[in-house]
Amino acid sequence: MRILSSLVVLLIGVTGCAVLSQLNQAVEEIAPSRLTCASNPEFVDGNLETESEFAVNGFVRKAYQVFVQETPRRSNAHRRYMTQLEGNRRTEAIIKLDALTYVSYVEVYPASPRIPNFAMMTTTDDPPRFDVAFERVSDNQHRDIEGMKPVRFRIQREVLYLRMSADGIEDRQNSVRGENSVVEIPLKGAAIREVKFFGRQSL
């Protein structure tokens, strides 16, 4: 009976160690040399001293517009301050791994104090089909990144391409005032110092 009990205890111990070993399996940084980003190479160059901005093509136009309301007896004119977007506010960058890789999480190192409406998507398709291929990363999806501290996003899937997107920021310091109180404000992309990928070591 003692022998049977000892065997049971030994079996539980071995099984527990195996499970614990898997749970504590080391996660290591994926080498920057395995990552490429055509639009923003500085995002994955392994150097926290460099930074790059998302490319954005657009501006915001703000102006008063007159609206006339007709009634049977008279017409009333109202002025409203209207905001109109010219171009596209959304910006994006795509990072490619050199091979299909299981990614545990990604860390983003901001260089701008605010990155508005930030989101991530991934795909294993090569080449990626932008209409259907990308799958959302649900962790902190479409949120504003505030501050300069690194932000971690859980991925927990195989990845070949990672797509990041964010809204452009109104560059009010370089706004231009035209006739009739029209103001045009250019959009600029948020800046990132580095995007680091982490994955589990293979057993």
Side-chain angles (χ1 to χ4, degrees), residues 5 14 21-22 30 50-51 60 78 82 93 95 98 147 170-171:
S5 299
V14 171
S21 176
Q22 288 184 352
I30 296 170
T50 61
E51 63 182 64
V60 174
H78 301 279
M82 305 294 292
I95 298 172
D98 62 349
E170 292 186 11
D171 186 6

Side-chain angles (χ1 to χ4, degrees), residues 21-95:
S21 176
Q22 288 184 352
L23 290 175
N24 292 330
Q25 188 178 354
V27 173
E28 63 180 4
E29 182 181 355
I30 296 170
S33 59
R34 296 189 53 201
L35 309 171
T36 55
C37 182
S39 61
N40 302 84
E42 295 84 357
F43 283 1
V44 292
D45 63 1
N47 185 357
L48 290 173
E49 299 301 318
T50 61
E51 63 182 64
S52 183
E53 293 183 355
F54 286 98
V56 59
N57 182 19
F59 63 91
V60 174
R61 179 183 291 112
K62 297 186 177 184
Y64 283 105
Q65 291 188 2
V66 177
F67 294 87
V68 179
Q69 182 180 7
E70 297 286 348
T71 65
R73 296 184 179 180
R74 62 180 180 178
S75 61
N76 295 322
H78 301 279
R79 295 180 69 197
R80 294 181 186 174
Y81 201 62
M82 305 294 292
T83 299
Q84 182 180 359
L85 173 65
E86 297 288 341
N88 190 0
R89 184 183 293 271
R90 202 69 179 151
T91 67
E92 69 174 35
I94 297 177
I95 298 172

